């Protein structure tokens, strides 16, 4: 396992190991043509999309923040703004998100970011014993307890996700 860890190592896995948190690496072969990294991970790994969470960077009052929501839905910008004590939020500039986190789009992990940001986790995560988040690169997810994610990111838990309407 140590060899596998060394080859799969990212700042996110290093942060988990340093904190002594139990986690499982879920690597998969990323298809460069995939348009939704999170849904791709859920499908390839055979895990229900409600348990796989995407990490989104938002801008709230001229500062960046992290929003973590299920890949099966969308982020409610008003709700994340309210959870952070602001009136409105917008999606962050992708390049600013990469600079702030040290990760590339599609591989932004809520853990081990270059500069930690205020974090909000969708409340639906607490319904599961374990959820998956990006491991810090495309094609690598980390499975861990949502309570550990909250503790390590000092996250606020709030209803910030929306469920998609049945469109197929």
């Amino acid at each position: 396992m140590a060899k596998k860890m060394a080859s799969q190592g990212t700042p996110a896995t290093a942060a988990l190991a340093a904190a002594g948190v139990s986690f499982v690496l879920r690597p998969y072969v990323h298809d460069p043509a995939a348009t939704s990294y999170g849904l791709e991970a859920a499908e390839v790994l055979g895990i229900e999309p409600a348990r796989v969470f995407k990490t989104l960077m938002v801008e709230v009052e001229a500062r960046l923040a992290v929003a973590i929501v299920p890949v099966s839905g969308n982020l409610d910008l008003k709700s994340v703004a309210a959870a952070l004590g602001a009136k409105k939020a917008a999606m962050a500039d992708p390049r600013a998100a990469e600079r702030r986190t040290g990760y590339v789009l599609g591989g932004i992990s809520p853990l081990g970011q270059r500069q930690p940001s205020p974090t909000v986790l969708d409340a639906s995560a607490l319904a599961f014993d374990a959820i998956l988040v990006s491991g810090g690169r495309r094609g690598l997810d980390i499975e861990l307890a949502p309570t550990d994610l909250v503790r390590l990111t000092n996250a606020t838990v709030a209803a910030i996700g929306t469920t998609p309407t049945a469109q197929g």
Side-chain angles (χ1 to χ4, degrees), residues 105-133:
L105 290 183
I108 294 179
S109 178
L111 300 156
Q113 293 187 358
R114 183 179 289 150
Q115 293 177 278
S117 299
T119 301
V120 183
L121 174 64
D122 185 67
S124 68
L126 299 184
F128 301 104
D129 291 335
I131 61 170
L132 281 77
V133 295

Side-chain angles (χ1 to χ4, degrees), residues 68-69 79-80 82-84 120-126 155-161:
I68 309 166
V69 295
S79 295
V80 77
L84 293 167
V120 183
L121 174 64
D122 185 67
S124 68
L126 299 184
T156 298
V157 177
I160 60 168

Side-chain angles (χ1 to χ4, degrees), residues 34-55:
T35 55
S36 171
Y37 301 108
L39 287 174
E40 175 195 31
E43 184 177 323
V44 173
L45 295 172
I47 295 173
E48 63 180 298
R51 276 189 56 216
V52 180
F53 284 68
K54 55 189 169 186
T55 305

Side-chain angles (χ1 to χ4, degrees), residues 1-164:
M1 172 98 174
K3 257 191 189 284
K4 185 177 180 187
M5 283 292 296
S7 67
Q8 299 286 342
T10 66
T13 59
L16 288 165
V21 170
S22 175
F23 66 96
V24 176
L25 289 178
R26 298 289 185 154
Y28 61 94
V29 177
H30 165 63
D31 178 356
T35 55
S36 171
Y37 301 108
L39 287 174
E40 175 195 31
E43 184 177 323
V44 173
L45 295 172
I47 295 173
E48 63 180 298
R51 276 189 56 216
V52 180
F53 284 68
K54 55 189 169 186
T55 305
L56 303 172
M57 297 299 293
V58 296
E59 188 174 327
V60 179
E61 295 178 350
R63 64 187 169 111
L64 292 181
V66 177
I68 309 166
V69 295
V71 301
S72 58
N74 294 306
L75 174 63
D76 181 327
L77 288 167
K78 278 190 167 195
S79 295
V80 77
L84 293 167
K87 288 185 193 249
K88 64 181 185 174
M91 294 305 297
D93 172 73
R95 300 298 158 243
E98 290 180 334
R99 279 192 306 275
R100 174 85 180 195
T101 64
Y103 295 119
V104 298
L105 290 183
I108 294 179
S109 178
L111 300 156
Q113 293 187 358
R114 183 179 289 150
Q115 293 177 278
S117 299
T119 301
V120 183
L121 174 64
D122 185 67
S124 68
L126 299 184
F128 301 104
D129 291 335
I131 61 170
L132 281 77
V133 295
S134 174
R137 71 169 167 262
R138 296 173 188 155
L140 180 65
D141 272 22
I142 296 172
E143 185 171 359
L144 76 165
T147 51
D148 286 334
L149 181 62
V150 168
R151 184 171 52 84
L152 292 176
T153 61
N154 197 27
T156 298
V157 177
I160 60 168
T162 63
T163 344

